[in-house]
Amino acid sequence: MSGDNLTVVVEFILLGFSDLPKLQGFLFGVFLSIYLCILIGNGLLIIITKTDPGLQTPMYFFLRNFSFLEICYTSVTIPRMLADLWTQKGTISFIACAVQTCFLYILGAAECLLLTVMAYDRYVAICKPLYYPLIMNHKVCVQLIVVSWLIGIPILIEETYQIFSLNFCGSKKLNHIFCDAPPLIELACGETYEIEISIHVAALIFAITPFLLILISYVKIITTIVRLPSTSGRSKAFSTCSSHLMVVGLFFGSGSIVYLQPKSSHSAGSVKVFALFYTTVTPMLNPLIYSLRNKDVIAALRKLLPKLIRS
């Protein structure tokens, strides 16, 4: 990254919410509260689904892993955001920016794949109930989790390497709340067409394809539910699926607006809002969505909370 008109970039400046200087303290309090809610809410889901005997099923095994993933995913961006709001500096080294981007993509891909696995679990449970214990045995569940976590690592490390191998010139200011490909590409000089195509291919593999598989699963699930003779059976089936559908809609909906929206229609403010939605708001709502709409989780929570208070 050197030449007559190029300089070696050693750091970037995340603008974040610098356009709201009077609200820095307020925003710090808001995001600290959100982060604590994410840690406590998802932490409780992990404890409940691990310790309660009635929740030792594949569905809650996947939910436990999903909650842990949400904690990891938000920990990539929110602590850094809180530090920037506290210090009001926003500088991030080149290496730290690359590491943040890499982990954001690896964990984001894992989340997309894990949501797909959870949809497949519901498909087998509702469409093939007699074969469910055989198909979704513990070994298969563990293999699905391992694949979801690890399959994207080599591809997304290479993707991150390509992004940070670009030549950066001029301004070092990233008009975003964390390091991400779209604002980084805007700072690059020279041709970026190939890397943009590469990013869209990665999005096709790790976001669009999982979303389509989830969609196909739920078309088959809804078709099966509608045919159920019992009203209570239909209600219970819809109840177990609706929570997952809400999380899928929030995560994929906000993410697609950021990554698939044409450049010409990009607005820095709207991109920040939707980026906050899939990296912060959805992980915060996840425990509420799964607990408030699930009688088993509520019952387990009622048994656990008195023990936690006494201890």
Side-chain angles (χ1 to χ4, degrees), residues 120-131:
Y120 175 68
D121 172 67
R122 291 299 83 207
Y123 161 75
V124 176
I126 292 171
C127 300
K128 300 182 178 182
L130 297 178
Y131 297 98

Side-chain angles (χ1 to χ4, degrees), residues 156-174:
L156 294 165
I157 288 176
E158 172 63 22
E159 193 72 34
T160 306
Y161 175 77
Q162 288 183 34
I163 293 169
F164 285 86
S165 295
L166 291 169
N167 292 323
F168 297 100
C169 55
S171 174
K172 297 186 294 182
K173 296 178 180 178
L174 292 173

